[in-house]
Amino acid sequence: MLPLGVAAVLAAAGLFQIAGPRPLLKFLTELGYGRGFNWVAGGFALAAAIFLAVPQLRLWGVVLAGFLLFGTTIELIEHRKYLYALPNVLLLGALPLALFAG
């Protein structure tokens, strides 16, 4: 059940990024990312969600999600967005558990 929960959170985040609401695009621009980066980040988040949902690919989902979440967390901490980084830290903590659960 935990892997599907983490996959659902990543899928929702990926869809949100792909939708590209104006505040998100503005925030990504403030961080120094170019146009269309939301599509790349959203695509990787959706891929990680799919990998986590398929038991045979779960290890790859954990690896991909780990890279995404770690990189995003570091980027947010560098820009002093500590509260924005908190959900990433929580998901990073859940990834090892998702690998062995369910």
Side-chain angles (χ1 to χ4, degrees):
M1 194 58 125
L2 182 63
L4 294 179
V6 174
V9 170
L10 285 170
L15 291 173
F16 179 76
Q17 290 172 354
I18 288 173
R22 192 174 307 269
L24 173 67
L25 297 177
K26 182 180 175 208
F27 182 68
L28 289 174
T29 303
E30 289 172 7
L31 293 179
Y33 293 103
R35 259 183 94 149
F37 181 76
N38 61 310
W39 287 88
V40 174
F44 278 119
L46 284 175
I50 291 168
F51 288 167
L52 280 168
V54 178
Q56 295 85 354
L57 301 174
R58 191 160 294 148
L59 175 63
W60 292 105
V62 168
V63 170
L64 181 56
F67 278 122
L68 286 172
L69 292 169
F70 182 75
T72 306
T73 302
I74 295 301
E75 184 72 21
L76 290 169
I77 289 173
E78 281 183 355
H79 287 88
R80 300 180 187 269
K81 304 289 186 184
Y82 303 116
L83 287 178
Y84 291 165
L86 183 60
N88 289 355
V89 172
L90 295 175
L91 273 177
L92 272 170
L95 281 179
L97 300 174
L99 183 60
F100 299 109

